[in-house]
Amino acid sequence: MELGRMIYRDLLAWKTEKTGRVLELQGARQVGKTYILKKFAKENFEHFHYINMAEESGKDFLDCLEQAASWTPGTPRPEYQILKEAFRLYNQDFADGEDTVIVIDEIQESARVYNQIRTLAREFDSYVIVTGSYLGKALQKEFFLPAGDTDKLQMGTLSFEEFVSALGDGELYRTAELYGGSETFVYEKLKEYFDIYQKIGGYPAVVTHYVEHHDIRKCEEMIERLMDIFTSESTRYFTDIMDVDIFPKLFQAVAILMLREKQGVRELGTELSKIIYQEESGRTTKKMVNHAISWLAQSHIIGYASKSTDCDYLQIKENCRYYFLDLGIAYYFLKTTGAAPEQVKGLLAENYVYLCLRERMQKRREIAGNTPWFALYQKTKGELDFYVRSLMDYKNYGIEVKSTDAIAKTAKRLLEDGKLNYLYLLKGDTKGGTSGDGKVYTVPLYLADRMNFDLGI
C-alpha cells in the first residue's frame, strides 16, 4: 500500500521556489526518504538520475568521477566541467537543465562526493537532492560542510495525522473540533486510533503491517529488528567496538532517565553513564557515552528538550532532557524498564507532545527556540511540561499533558503570576473546552498538533 506523506508538499514547494541550492533531506533509517524522493522525482521531472553511494551505482559514479578528473601533468587541463563530465560518463543521456533532478542517496558514504555539494549548487541548473540515514558522519574532518549552499528538510516517521489517514480516516482528524464541537463518536474513534499509535509509532513498514494485519505484537517485533539493524549498521562508523556495545544499554538508559527525572539533570552524559554501568564500573567513560548519544541524535533516534527558568525565553539551558523521535521506539524501551502501564502511558503522551512541538519548530517556524522547552518555576519549585514562546503573537503559552487539577497547580500559578498568557491542558479523555476568561484551553491529547499559538492576535 502507498502511504501519503505530508513532506511531499514541502518537496513541491522547494521545487517551485527555485533557490538554486542543493536540498539535504535528513531523517532516520527506514522513514521512507528514498521512496518519497523517487516518487517526487518521477512525478515532477522529465529526467531523473539516482545514485546510491552505499550500492553499486555509487561505486560506478566514483569511477566516472575519477576518469573525468584524470589529468597528466604537462598536458592541457580538461576544458569541460569535471563533475558534469562525470555525470555524462555515468549516463550518456545526462543533460543539465531545470527539467532534470539528481538524487544522491547515502551521500555520507563518500566524502569526495559530499564535498561536491557546493559545485552542484553553483554550477548545475538541475535540481539536486542529497540524503542519507547517517549524515552525522559528515561532521568528520574530511567532510567539507557546504554552509549557504543547501536547503534542509527533515523527514520523520508518520505523524498521527498520517497514521489516521493510512487507516482511511484522515478527514476525521482534520475536521475534529479542538474544543468539543464535534460528535462524540469522532473523539472516541480518534482516541482509539491514538491508543494504537502510541504503541506502534510511525515507521512506514510497521504502519503498513498494522493496516494490513492489525497485529500489534508483530509490529513490536519489527521495531526491535529496526533497532538491531541500526546498532549493526552503526558499527561501520565507530572505531571502538565498545562504543557500539553501548547502544542496546543506552536505549534503555534513556527510557529509565525519562522515568526518573522531572526537572532536567545537570549533566546527561554523567547520569547515563551511572545508569548503564553504575559508578563502580570503569568500563565506560563520559566521552564514550557523549559520543554514542550524539550519534543517536544525529541519526534522528532521539531528540533533546531544553529548560526555561520561570517561563523566561532569555533564560534557557540547552539539552536537559531526552525524548525518542518515534512513539513506537519510546513504547518499546519504556515497557522494557518494567514501569507500570499508566506511567508508561503518561510518558508516551508527553513524548507525543514533544514531537508535535518539534515539528512546529522545524517546519512551520511558529515557535521560538532550537528545541522544545519545559519550564521550572523557582517560586514554587514546580514544573511545567512544556513552555512555548510564540513567534506569531509573541505571547507565552504553557502546556500541561494529561492534566488534572492537582498536577496543573504549577501551570495555573504561572498563569496567575503573569508568566504565561495562555494555558493548554491536554487530556486523553476529553472533548475539549475553554475557560470563561479565554485563558485556559482544554484539548484532546491526540489533537495536540493543531493547537493554536496565535491567540493573542
Side-chain angles (χ1 to χ4, degrees):
M1 64 175 292
E2 181 173 305
L3 300 173
R5 302 304 304 271
M6 288 184 285
I7 198 168
Y8 193 92
R9 295 178 295 188
D10 299 325
L11 293 169
L12 288 173
W14 172 76
K15 179 179 185 291
T16 301
E17 194 174 354
K18 296 183 180 179
T19 65
R21 293 185 288 270
V22 171
L23 177 63
E24 183 180 295
L25 181 63
Q26 302 175 341
R29 187 187 188 281
Q30 294 294 309
V31 298
K33 299 186 301 297
T34 301
Y35 172 82
I36 202 68
L37 287 179
K38 286 184 174 181
K39 175 179 171 64
F40 168 70
K42 291 174 182 177
E43 293 178 354
N44 294 279
F45 294 90
E46 188 173 344
H47 305 290
F48 168 39
H49 302 280
Y50 176 79
I51 298 169
N52 189 318
M53 300 310 303
E55 297 178 354
E56 196 67 27
S57 58
K59 180 180 179 298
D60 291 344
F61 182 73
L62 285 173
D63 290 342
C64 293
L65 186 57
E66 184 71 27
Q67 182 176 330
S70 64
W71 169 71
T72 303
T75 64
R77 289 186 177 274
E79 295 183 2
Y80 52 75
Q81 292 175 303
I82 292 174
L83 193 54
K84 287 185 180 180
E85 179 64 16
F87 277 102
R88 282 190 284 268
L89 289 171
Y90 180 78
N91 189 327
Q92 62 181 0
D93 295 327
F94 174 78
D96 184 33
E98 291 188 1
D99 58 354
T100 295
V101 62
I102 300 167
V103 175
I104 304 177
D105 207 348
E106 302 298 350
I107 194 171
Q108 80 281 346
E109 293 299 318
S110 171
R112 184 173 184 182
V113 174
Y114 187 91
N115 293 343
Q116 298 293 329
I117 286 178
R118 175 165 290 182
T119 301
L120 289 165
R122 298 184 180 187
E123 297 182 5
F124 279 60
D125 293 321
S126 300
Y127 288 82
V128 182
I129 306 173
V130 301
T131 188
S133 301
Y134 303 108
L135 287 172
K137 185 185 177 185
L139 297 178
Q140 297 176 4
K141 61 182 180 180
E142 65 266 30
F143 288 80
F144 174 75
L145 298 180
D149 291 294
T150 58
D151 296 316
K152 297 183 188 294
L153 283 176
Q154 288 201 14
M155 184 175 184
T157 58
L158 273 76
S159 67
F160 180 57
E161 179 181 351
E162 290 171 326
F163 174 72
V164 175
S165 296
L167 291 166
D169 271 333
E171 195 62 23
L172 201 68
Y173 172 89
R174 288 184 287 273
T175 58
E177 293 287 338
L178 285 179
Y179 312 122
S182 297
E183 297 291 333
T184 300
F185 83 89
V186 173
Y187 301 107
E188 291 176 346
K189 191 65 176 177
L190 289 174
K191 185 180 182 301
E192 178 185 328
Y193 287 146
F194 188 67
D195 288 343
I196 297 166
Y197 180 70
Q198 287 187 105
K199 293 179 180 178
I200 71 169
Y203 274 94
V206 177
V207 172
T208 297
H209 181 84
Y210 178 79
V211 172
E212 294 176 349
H213 303 286
H214 295 272
D215 186 345
I216 290 180
R217 181 175 293 277
K218 181 65 175 180
C219 290
E220 291 180 18
E221 292 175 2
M222 294 174 72
I223 291 169
E224 181 180 15
R225 190 157 56 249
L226 281 171
M227 292 298 95
D228 288 343
I229 292 171
F230 168 81
T231 300
S232 176
E233 290 181 344
S234 293
T235 61
R236 302 186 357 252
Y237 305 108
F238 282 74
T239 56
D240 188 338
I241 192 63
M242 190 178 290
D243 283 354
V244 180
D245 290 340
I246 287 176
F247 285 129
K249 300 181 181 74
L250 195 56
F251 289 130
Q252 190 173 50
V254 169
I256 291 172
L257 201 56
M258 290 174 69
L259 288 160
R260 278 188 185 177
E261 61 86 28
K262 284 300 290 179
Q263 294 190 354
V265 296
R266 280 189 170 187
E267 180 53 61
L268 288 172
T270 300
E271 292 301 315
L272 285 171
S273 297
K274 291 178 182 178
I275 294 171
I276 294 171
Y277 292 120
Q278 305 301 321
E279 286 186 291
E280 65 271 12
S281 173
R283 293 181 58 197
T284 189
T285 65
K286 179 179 172 182
K287 181 179 178 181
M288 288 170 59
V289 171
N290 284 338
H291 185 195
I293 203 71
S294 293
W295 182 252
L296 292 182
Q298 292 158 11
S299 301
H300 303 276
I301 302 297
I302 65 166
Y304 296 101
S306 299
K307 179 173 69 177
S308 167
T309 301
D310 297 340
C311 291
D312 184 346
Y313 62 90
L314 298 179
Q315 293 192 63
I316 303 296
K317 181 175 174 56
E318 300 291 341
N319 302 344
C320 291
R321 183 168 292 169
Y322 297 122
Y323 289 97
F324 289 100
L325 296 188
D326 178 75
L327 283 191
I329 293 176
Y331 176 71
Y332 177 81
F333 288 109
L334 284 168
K335 193 173 72 166
T336 61
T337 66
E342 282 305 307
Q343 193 176 12
V344 170
K345 191 174 182 179
L347 280 170
L348 288 174
E350 191 175 309
N351 203 136
Y352 172 68
V353 177
Y354 168 84
L355 293 175
C356 292
L357 294 176
R358 190 173 187 268
E359 178 85 359
R360 302 278 285 263
M361 277 183 161
Q362 293 179 344
K363 291 191 175 179
R364 304 185 207 173
R365 303 297 179 188
E366 297 174 350
I367 300 173
N370 298 314
T371 61
W373 302 335
F374 62 98
L376 180 65
Y377 195 23
Q378 293 187 113
K379 182 183 290 188
T380 65
K381 303 302 180 184
E383 185 190 311
L384 177 70
D385 285 336
F386 293 101
Y387 157 56
V388 167
R389 175 69 175 177
S390 172
L391 296 178
M392 303 176 72
D393 63 8
Y394 297 94
K395 302 294 185 181
N396 288 344
Y397 293 75
I399 300 172
E400 274 293 329
V401 184
K402 294 182 73 69
S403 297
T404 64
D405 288 341
I407 65 174
K409 186 180 295 183
T410 298
K412 291 180 178 178
R413 182 66 180 274
L414 284 163
L415 190 65
E416 291 170 1
D417 291 350
K419 301 293 184 181
L420 297 174
N421 300 104
Y422 302 98
L423 174 62
Y424 277 111
L425 303 178
L426 303 180
K427 302 181 182 181
D429 294 309
T430 184
K431 296 180 183 179
T434 61
S435 64
D437 61 3
K439 297 292 185 181
V440 181
Y441 295 79
T442 302
V443 173
L445 172 62
Y446 42 82
L447 297 180
D449 189 43
R450 291 179 46 204
M451 287 183 293
N452 300 309
F453 297 119
D454 59 355
L455 299 177
I457 297 177

